[in-house]
Amino acid sequence: MARAIWTGVITFGLVTVPVGLYTAVQDHTVHFHQLQRGTSDRIRNRRVNERTGDEVGPDDIVKGFEVGEGEYIVVEPEELDEIAPGRSQTIDITDFVALEQIEPVYFDRSYYIAPRGKEYTKVYELLRAALAEGNRVGIATFVMRNKQYLTALRAEDDVLVLQTLHWADEVRDPGEELPELPSGRAARGKELQMARQLIDALSGDWDPGRYHDTYQEKVRELVEAKAEGKEITAAEAPPEATNVIDLTKVLEGSLDAVRSGRGSGGSAGRKGKSAPRKTSHASAAGTPARKAPPKKTGTASRRSRGGGSGGKDGLRQLSKAELYRRASDQGVPGRSRMSREELLDALTRTGRRRKKSAA
């Protein structure tokens, strides 16, 4: 059973719920020790005086802020302790915003939040359900381990997630920082259409279990191979950059490969049923859900309100975004938390009810 790394209360308005904060992810990186070559002797880091080379004890080390070359403002540890914010007891939600308004670059770490006792589960679930139904996140600040955090409190299927955010002055402007960016006029015509077809052909439902850290797997295989005296296979060279002149030909080849892979049951074809989606409004990596595409007008819109032609088989030809749009038009409850297959079932049931009503 996990232990809380922080305990306190969440407040919104006059409502208060005692909670605990738990880490949501764990590190599976393979860690190595440093050894002197040819021996089994561990290498240790020491703090030494740069000028004299003498080792310095922790009590004789202070922090210095450089104000000029070789000139420092010295700050004692107790001086930093005096101005530290102290341990916060409260996550005080001051604002609620639409999840899609927060750009993914602002998201940092994820933590689970749980009520501290069964008697607090009702209020906890009230906040979670309200956030989920409104597709909102609560914005708050709190202090943990003498550091203040900006956070977004969001709802998943059965748990509240606290996502730490970067402060605005920590996020760089790509226009100022990056040397080369496209003008926005380069992607047009047939090449853009083919690129969109390729993306659509490779689209499917989010299933985090399908992806693995293959590098860490290879590191473990390397260690095991060396332990058994086996030969090590070198990694393949990275592919060369696509020549702009051959871009159309490369796109055509990519589409052909995907289509042939789908026809033979290969991994290239990803559409169809996958594992049920486990997060309601954001990915496990912590990024927000996209807005539903704008509603179409005219005949297409009238067809969507009717549930689509061809029943469930006809609906299977649509993308998840189109299914979600139709579910929005028909007011299907809980649609934001549904997988593609669940949207298909819900729209099919709605279509049957409409036909019975019309009869």
Side-chain angles (χ1 to χ4, degrees):
M1 183 70 70
R3 294 182 61 183
I5 62 173
W6 179 95
T7 56
V9 297
I10 295 175
T11 64
F12 61 107
L14 299 178
V15 181
T16 300
V17 52
V19 296
L21 194 68
Y22 299 81
T23 54
V25 298
Q26 55 185 337
D27 181 22
H28 289 301
T29 302
V30 177
H31 296 281
F32 294 94
H33 294 299
Q34 290 183 318
L35 307 175
Q36 183 176 359
R37 188 183 298 277
T39 73
S40 296
D41 300 337
R42 292 277 301 275
I43 302 299
R44 302 290 184 180
N45 294 322
R46 298 165 54 203
R47 293 182 173 90
V48 299
N49 184 307
E50 186 181 62
R51 179 177 56 82
T52 65
D54 296 334
E55 188 170 357
V56 180
D59 293 339
D60 292 326
I61 297 177
V62 294
K63 295 182 182 293
F65 183 84
E66 190 171 16
V67 294
E69 187 174 352
E71 184 179 357
Y72 296 90
I73 300 296
V74 175
V75 179
E76 298 286 346
E78 56 267 22
E79 291 177 312
L80 290 173
D81 291 339
E82 289 174 359
I83 64 170
R87 182 182 178 279
S88 171
Q89 301 286 331
T90 306
I91 300 174
D92 186 13
I93 301 176
T94 57
D95 303 281
F96 291 94
V97 303
L99 178 58
E100 61 266 21
Q101 289 183 346
I102 304 177
E103 298 174 20
V105 69
Y106 282 92
F107 286 85
D108 188 14
R109 287 190 163 190
S110 299
Y111 298 89
Y112 292 136
I113 291 181
R116 283 192 291 135
K118 290 185 177 181
E119 62 270 34
Y120 307 122
T121 55
K122 182 177 180 180
V123 181
Y124 175 93
E125 174 58 19
L126 176 68
L127 174 59
R128 191 211 63 80
L131 290 173
E133 289 294 327
N135 195 26
R136 292 287 190 272
V137 296
I139 304 299
T141 59
F142 86 115
V143 176
M144 180 173 63
R145 297 169 183 167
N146 286 336
K147 183 176 179 181
Q148 188 177 40
Y149 294 90
L150 176 66
T151 67
L153 194 69
R154 59 181 178 82
E156 290 194 2
D157 285 346
D158 53 5
V159 68
L160 285 171
V161 175
L162 182 137
Q163 200 98 37
T164 58
L165 304 174
H166 295 292
W167 301 95
D169 59 0
E170 294 178 326
V171 178
R172 293 178 172 181
D173 183 346
E176 296 178 359
E177 301 291 339
L178 305 184
E180 296 292 340
L181 286 175
S183 63
R185 296 189 296 272
R188 290 185 177 182
K190 182 180 179 181
E191 292 174 347
L192 176 58
Q193 182 181 3
M194 294 177 68
R196 292 178 62 180
Q197 290 175 354
L198 179 59
I199 291 173
D200 185 62
L202 291 170
S203 295
D205 289 337
W206 165 243
D207 178 10
R210 193 169 61 195
Y211 308 97
H212 304 276
D213 187 344
T214 57
Y215 174 69
Q216 292 302 317
E217 292 174 354
K218 289 180 179 178
V219 170
R220 291 186 178 90
E221 290 173 1
L222 169 64
V223 172
E224 292 173 1
K226 288 181 71 70
E228 298 173 5
K230 295 181 179 179
E231 185 178 350
I232 302 166
T233 304
E236 296 180 2
E240 296 182 0
T242 301
N243 190 326
V244 177
I245 299 175
D246 300 327
L247 185 55
T248 301
K249 187 179 296 184
V250 171
L251 286 168
E252 288 175 347
S254 300
L255 279 169
D256 290 342
V258 171
R259 288 164 179 162
S260 62
R262 182 188 300 141
S264 60
S267 61
R270 297 183 181 178
K271 282 193 173 182
K273 184 176 180 180
S274 66
R277 187 179 179 186
K278 299 204 175 167
T279 57
S280 55
H281 299 295
S283 73
T287 53
R290 295 181 179 177
K291 290 182 180 179
K295 297 179 181 179
K296 298 179 180 178
T297 58
T299 305
S301 179
R302 286 192 294 271
R303 281 201 302 268
S304 69
R305 284 194 293 270
S309 59
K312 192 170 185 177
D313 290 338
L315 291 172
R316 284 191 183 278
Q317 308 304 316
L318 304 178
S319 67
K320 185 179 179 182
E322 176 67 13
L323 292 171
Y324 182 85
R325 185 178 67 79
R326 295 192 178 199
S328 299
D329 289 345
Q330 298 178 30
V332 174
R335 56 189 176 275
S336 62
R337 299 187 295 276
M338 292 182 180
S339 66
R340 186 175 185 277
E341 197 67 22
E342 289 169 338
L343 286 169
L344 281 169
D345 292 338
L347 287 170
T348 302
R349 289 194 299 269
T350 303
R352 289 171 182 165
R353 286 197 296 267
R354 287 176 180 273
K355 288 180 179 179
K356 288 181 180 179
S357 299

